[in-house]
């Protein structure tokens, strides 16, 4: 018996957009695939618009917020520089 399509209106789970479901059926792109690189260029261009910058090094980072912070520190601090890092919690 085929499952009928249901409209879910609660806080979750919810019905995904058909475009999202279709995208999940496509083959995974490698990080050096020309199609992926074109998509990355488009994403970076859109991020520059959102953040109102012309910096060509604007790029998305796949990871938690701490990954973005680490990328900032690694690229901002010079070798031999002193940094104060505070921690709290676990």
């Amino acid at each position: 018996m085929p499952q009928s399509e249901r409209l879910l209106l609660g806080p979750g789970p919810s019905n995904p957009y058909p475009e999202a479901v279709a995208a999940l059926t496509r083959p995974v792109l490698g990080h050096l695939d020309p199609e992926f690189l074109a998509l990355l260029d488009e994403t970076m261009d859109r991020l520059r618009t959102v953040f109102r910058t012309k910096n060509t090094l604007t790029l998305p980072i796949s990871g938690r917020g701490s990954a973005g912070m680490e990328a900032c520190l690694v690229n901002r601090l010079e070798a031999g520089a002193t940094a104060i890092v505070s921690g709290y919690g676990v």
Side-chain angles (χ1 to χ4, degrees), residues 1-81:
M1 175 182 206
Q3 182 178 351
S4 63
E5 190 164 326
R6 296 188 174 122
L7 178 59
L8 302 174
L9 297 174
S14 59
N15 299 82
Y17 286 105
E19 297 88 352
V21 174
L24 290 172
T25 66
R26 296 184 63 199
V28 176
L29 294 176
H31 69 285
L32 296 177
D33 187 298
E35 188 177 338
F36 174 80
L37 295 174
L39 180 62
L40 182 61
D41 286 341
E42 179 184 343
T43 302
M44 290 167 53
D45 188 47
R46 290 180 178 197
L47 283 173
R48 283 190 285 275
T49 300
V50 168
F51 293 116
R52 298 179 184 167
T53 183
K54 294 186 187 308
N55 188 336
T56 58
L57 298 178
T58 302
L59 59 106
I61 296 177
S62 179
R64 302 172 61 104
S66 57
M69 289 183 65
E70 180 179 352
C72 288
L73 288 173
V74 166
N75 287 286
R76 182 71 181 137
L77 296 175
E78 297 178 9

